[in-house]
């Protein structure tokens, strides 16, 4: 183990995957000479050449279409969309082709591709570069959706995604790139579809995704001084979703908050909430389920307004007080 950044963990996983398997190659805008919009592919074209680390035109539909075709012929492409917002340009290739080909060809064809993309707000990049659209992909049968929240998970889950025979959507929050964590030097994989308990507790469960996991851990530390014990569950993968870990935690604490950065309206937090509400555990809850999510507005560019548009640390602390009955709604 040594301490590296989330961004270094991504770079390291890509480097190791390229070295391990000649079928793996990278493609995307500015990933070669420039090293990627956020530096995730820095140094890889110099090491592996232009054939395996391919700069592409500014055409997300072309990137995704090429990746689908290459995957069908036995390659293992890892495509990068510089911002998750740009997935809208490649929806046909990913939603109608990559997700469905295995089914439509009766299992005779596979599409082992990975789409990596930077998501989320916090950089003042405005409405077309700051969205959290992972719940869109979670709605599509045939796609796996991964959203790691620390360096250790990022490296292990990216290795697992590249080895998977299905198309995998891999979301990396921009504000997490500079965070650090302990990561093994050697390659390793983490199981897709297994949640992680980031913090044990007994009074309240917070099920959080993406950057909200970090905020949940901060909030848990703050309310600890009030004697409130918070358990934080990180699904890590939205599809497949580890329902058992979530329900086991809620059964223990009997209070739950679901927190995502994505817009609350029709967001993935509703899916998690419905799983809890439809279970027998719902009859034993000591407080109504609280959902936190982004406001139903395009993301503002102005930093103060941007911070108001998504849940912050104080939002989580207030929600914890609410479910514990310390404040009235």
């Amino acid at each position: 183990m040594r301490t590296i950044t989330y961004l270094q963990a991504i770079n390291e996983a890509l480097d190791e995957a390229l070295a391990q398997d000649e079928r793996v190659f990278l493609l995307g805008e500015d990933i070669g000479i420039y090293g990627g919009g956020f530096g995730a592919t820095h140094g890889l074209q110099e090491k592996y050449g232009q054939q395996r680390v391919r700069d592409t035109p500014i055409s997300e539909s072309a990137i995704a279409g090429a990746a689908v075709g290459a995957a069908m012929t036995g390659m293992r492409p890892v495509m990068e969309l510089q911002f998750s917002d740009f997935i809208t340009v490649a929806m046909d290739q990913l939603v109608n082709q990559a997700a469905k080909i295995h089914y439509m060809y009766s299992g005779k064809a596979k599409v082992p591709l990975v789409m990596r993309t930077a998501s989320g707000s916090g950089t003042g990049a405005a409405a077309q570069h700051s969205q959290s659209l992972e719940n869109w992909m979670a709605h599509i049968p045939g796609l796996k959706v991964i959203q790691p929240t620390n360096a250790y998970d990022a490296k292990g889950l990216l290795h697992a995604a590249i080895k998977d025979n299905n198309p995998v959507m891999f979301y990396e929050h921009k504000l997490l790139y500079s965070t650090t964590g302990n990561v093994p030097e050697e390659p390793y994989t983490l199981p897709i579809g297994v949640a992680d308990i980031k913090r044990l507790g007994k009074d309240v469960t917070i099920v959080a995704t993406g950057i909200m996991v970090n905020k949940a851990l901060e909030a848990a530390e703050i309310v600890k001084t009030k004697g409130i014990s918070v358990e934080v569950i990180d699904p890590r993968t939205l599809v497949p979703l580890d329902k058992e870990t979530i329900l086991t935690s809620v059964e223990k604490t009997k209070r739950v908050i679901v927190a995502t950065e994505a817009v609350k309206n029709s967001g993935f937090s509703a899916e998690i909430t419905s799983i809890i509400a439809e279970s027998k555990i719902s009859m034993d809850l000591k407080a109504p389920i609280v959902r936190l999510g982004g406001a139903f507005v395009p993301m503002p560019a102005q930093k103060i307004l941007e911070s108001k548009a998504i849940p912050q640390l104080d939002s989580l602390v207030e929600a914890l007080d609410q479910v514990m009955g310390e404040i009235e709604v």
Side-chain angles (χ1 to χ4, degrees), residues 1 9 150-157 181-184 188-190 236:
M1 288 281 191
N150 61 39
Y152 176 80
D153 291 349
K155 180 177 176 179
L157 286 169
N182 294 327
V183 179
Y188 61 95
T189 61
L190 294 174
R236 298 196 292 193

Side-chain angles (χ1 to χ4, degrees), residues 229-310:
S229 175
V230 180
E231 184 150 293
V232 178
I233 305 295
D234 177 3
R236 298 196 292 193
T237 64
L238 304 188
V239 180
L241 179 66
D242 184 355
K243 301 176 185 179
E244 183 178 350
T245 296
I246 294 170
L247 291 174
T248 299
S249 177
V250 176
E251 185 176 24
K252 176 176 65 174
T253 64
K254 296 180 173 55
R255 299 179 183 91
V256 61
I257 297 166
V258 185
T260 67
E261 183 179 324
V263 171
K264 182 179 176 180
N265 190 64
S266 301
F268 196 75
S269 61
E271 177 66 20
I272 297 173
T273 299
S274 68
I275 290 168
I276 298 167
E278 291 170 357
S279 73
K280 62 180 181 180
I281 297 167
S282 64
M283 303 300 293
D284 298 322
L285 293 179
K286 295 181 179 179
I289 300 170
V290 174
R291 288 175 59 209
L292 297 178
F296 196 51
V297 296
M299 190 63 66
Q302 210 280 339
K303 282 292 189 76
I304 294 177
L305 293 177
E306 183 184 41
S307 68
K308 296 291 185 183
I310 57 172

Side-chain angles (χ1 to χ4, degrees), residues 138-248:
H139 182 71
I140 304 303
L143 298 179
K144 294 186 177 182
V145 182
I146 298 178
Q147 195 175 24
T149 57
N150 61 39
Y152 176 80
D153 291 349
K155 180 177 176 179
L157 286 169
L158 184 51
H159 266 299
I162 294 170
K163 294 178 185 298
D164 200 286
N165 285 326
N166 300 281
V168 179
M169 309 293 104
F170 198 90
Y171 287 87
E172 304 157 12
H173 197 289
K174 297 188 282 286
L175 293 185
L176 292 175
Y177 279 142
S178 61
T179 60
T180 59
N182 294 327
V183 179
E185 291 187 25
E186 68 277 1
Y188 61 95
T189 61
L190 294 174
I192 297 174
V194 177
D196 188 36
I197 303 173
K198 298 298 187 190
R199 181 186 177 110
L200 288 168
K202 59 183 178 62
D203 295 324
V204 187
T205 296
I206 298 179
V207 183
T209 63
I211 193 72
M212 296 307 297
V213 173
N214 299 52
K215 295 179 183 179
L217 291 170
E218 289 184 63
E221 198 61 32
I222 290 172
V223 301
K224 180 182 176 182
T225 61
K226 303 178 183 180
I228 301 174
S229 175
V230 180
E231 184 150 293
V232 178
I233 305 295
D234 177 3
R236 298 196 292 193
T237 64
L238 304 188
V239 180
L241 179 66
D242 184 355
K243 301 176 185 179
E244 183 178 350
T245 296
I246 294 170
L247 291 174
T248 299

